[in-house]
Amino acid sequence: MSGPSTYQPSHPALQWFEKRLPLIGLIHSSFVAYPTPRNLNYWWTFGGILSMMLGVQIVTGVILAMHYTPHVDMAFNSVESIVRDVNYGWLLRYLHSNGASMFFIAVYIHMFRGLYYGSYKAPREVLWILGVIIYLLMMATGFMGYVLPWGQMSFWGATVITNLFSAIPYVGESIVTLLWGGYSVGNPTLNRFFSLHYLLPFVIAGVVVLHVWALHVAGQNNPAGVEPKTEKDMVPFTPYATIKDGFGMVCFMIFYAWFVFYIPNYLGDPDNYIQANPGVTPAHIVPEWYYLPFYAILRSIPSKLGGVIAMFSAIIVLAFLPWLDSAKTRSSKYRPLAKQFFWIFVVGSAASPRRASTSLPAAS
Ligand code: HEM
């Protein structure tokens, strides 16, 4: 991913293999010899933390799937039986459900880091857009995963969100019927969501490979936002970045473990411990915390179509950012006004969920 490798294995068997497939050379040039700006701060460890979380979600998810039953009559009970009867099933489930939240905490920090330091600007536009694609895939994966335990919030969340497509003129109703596989959220919906929830993390992994490839072509940005001038501005990835990333990962794991072992249901909704009931609508239908800023946009606009357009635009606009921001200076460190607007945006994003979850009646 970062040009031809100078790596020469010493063992004859490895030399034989390397001549036929220079895999170790690729790993060596990408994660050992790769030159890294020497002034990177801890906000740059979140890419590694995200890679780790993707691995955790895939491993725990694959094992959970061995015990889960994607059927409307059995899904809820199969999840309860995972927690109560399967050896360490409680651990698997809580690692996976809290892992989704941790994944989003990490991705939001990673994205805000990119916004602050102008990492989306040339020559990193493709790297950034690949990130936006990953983010969209993460949102779809998280949404479909939340439906699987088939609790009240799973069912009603799925109903509200899939219904949004009905706002599309002329074809909306047909799209919703197609998504559901019937005339309401039901067994076919649960089955296709399970299938896609299993598939998408592997698609994400593929896009992450492209993301890291694009990163290694453009080179990393840094807090100053000024491209490194000489070799003296760089250090080799190993040991410097590997140790720093490793330390970041351990700290993040401690934070994650605190949720898993002490407050495993803190980030979840109690209504999801009630089995899905199409006849009873919960008083408040709220998505998981990581969707709330977008849900707030959706519900702030009285027109359904207007709300849907505004919500999707708020995500899609990110992809155009490299061209919307025409400033010559990259990092907000040297852009006092951009710095102020950045923090207003952070506070706005964090405060908007209160509006989405408390002050409005349940969505139809
Ligand atoms: C599964 C999710 C993701 C993984 C595993 C991942 C992985 C990485 C890694 C390993 C790096 C290099 C280390 C670092 O700068 O932190 C990186 C850099 C970067 N990522 Fe991601 N990423 C993900 C999602 C995203 C998203 C959603 C965006 C933006 C929408 C994004 C934008 C960027 C940018 C702009 C850089 C370059 C940073 C710089 O050099 O300043 N990434 N990513």
Side-chain angles (χ1 to χ4, degrees):
M1 288 180 183
S2 52
S5 170
T6 51
Y7 173 75
Q8 278 299 331
S10 48
H11 196 280
L14 289 180
Q15 283 171 359
W16 178 90
F17 183 77
E18 198 62 10
K19 233 182 199 151
R20 284 148 185 88
L21 181 69
L23 183 66
I24 311 172
L26 178 70
I27 294 169
H28 187 271
S29 62
S30 306
F31 301 108
V32 180
Y34 180 68
T36 322
R38 64 191 312 148
N39 59 336
L40 297 187
N41 57 32
Y42 272 101
W43 301 119
W44 264 262
T45 63
F46 280 86
I49 290 169
L50 280 164
S51 312
M52 173 186 77
M53 287 314 300
L54 180 61
V56 169
Q57 288 306 90
I58 289 180
V59 170
T60 52
V62 166
I63 308 173
L64 280 172
M66 294 172 189
H67 302 278
Y68 170 77
T69 313
H71 190 282
V72 287
D73 295 332
M74 285 175 276
F76 184 85
N77 288 334
S78 78
V79 173
E80 280 307 299
S81 121
I82 288 172
V83 176
R84 292 156 199 265
D85 305 330
V86 172
N87 289 331
Y88 293 102
W90 58 273
L91 181 59
L92 278 173
R93 196 213 172 179
Y94 289 144
L95 278 174
H96 197 77
S97 56
N98 286 287
S101 280
M102 297 300 131
F103 206 164
F104 275 97
I105 289 175
V107 92
Y108 282 134
I109 294 175
H110 190 69
M111 292 166 74
F112 278 116
R113 183 281 316 259
L115 289 177
Y116 188 88
Y117 293 112
S119 300
Y120 51 86
K121 282 173 166 284
R124 299 182 182 81
E125 303 93 321
V126 171
L127 162 68
W128 172 260
I129 291 170
L130 287 165
V132 176
I133 294 172
I134 295 172
Y135 178 51
L136 283 170
L137 288 168
M138 279 177 66
M139 290 179 110
T141 309
F143 165 65
M144 286 188 276
Y146 193 62
V147 178
L148 303 184
W150 209 243
Q152 272 291 68
M153 213 48 89
S154 305
F155 179 85
W156 288 101
T159 303
V160 169
I161 301 302
T162 48
N163 248 316
L164 293 179
F165 289 89
S166 70
I168 301 171
Y170 307 112
V171 288
E173 296 291 341
S174 314
I175 292 175
V176 176
T177 311
L178 195 73
L179 286 174
W180 286 340
Y183 297 103
S184 67
V185 171
N187 204 49
T189 328
L190 180 60
N191 268 283
R192 62 191 57 184
F193 277 22
F194 177 51
S195 169
L196 292 173
H197 182 69
Y198 205 132
L199 172 72
L200 288 188
F202 297 96
V203 178
I204 294 176
V207 185
V208 167
V209 171
L210 297 180
H211 185 68
V212 176
W213 185 5
L215 174 84
H216 284 201
V217 171
Q220 277 172 292
N221 184 27
N222 64 79
V226 180
E227 296 297 334
K229 299 270 182 302
T230 66
E231 282 205 354
K232 280 191 181 159
D233 297 332
M234 315 295 273
V235 286
F237 192 87
T238 301
Y240 299 97
T242 31
I243 293 283
K244 197 165 180 168
D245 281 359
F247 182 68
M249 285 179 201
V250 170
C251 293
F252 194 80
M253 278 299 225
I254 293 171
F255 176 67
Y256 178 18
W258 176 51
F259 278 90
V260 170
F261 295 109
Y262 290 103
I263 42 172
N265 289 303
Y266 181 75
L267 297 167
D269 195 303
D271 271 3
N272 229 26
Y273 277 103
I274 303 168
Q275 188 164 0
N277 183 350
V280 178
T281 316
H284 295 283
I285 302 174
V286 260
E288 293 285 85
W289 68 266
Y290 35 86
Y291 299 122
L292 287 176
F294 299 102
Y295 199 54
I297 295 173
L298 174 76
R299 298 187 58 180
S300 303
I301 297 170
S303 137
K304 191 171 175 179
L305 181 60
V308 171
I309 292 173
M311 182 180 71
F312 283 110
S313 307
I315 308 173
I316 300 304
V317 70
L318 285 173
F320 297 96
L321 209 59
W323 297 278
L324 292 174
D325 177 1
S326 57
K328 292 271 180 288
T329 311
R330 206 179 271 143
S331 172
S332 291
K333 205 171 169 180
Y334 306 113
R335 298 174 66 190
L337 209 57
K339 197 189 276 187
Q340 282 180 33
F341 280 116
F342 172 85
W343 287 112
I344 291 170
F345 182 48
V346 172
V347 172
S349 309
S352 58
R354 281 186 59 74
R355 178 161 165 73
S357 58
T358 54
S359 60
L360 293 163
S364 57

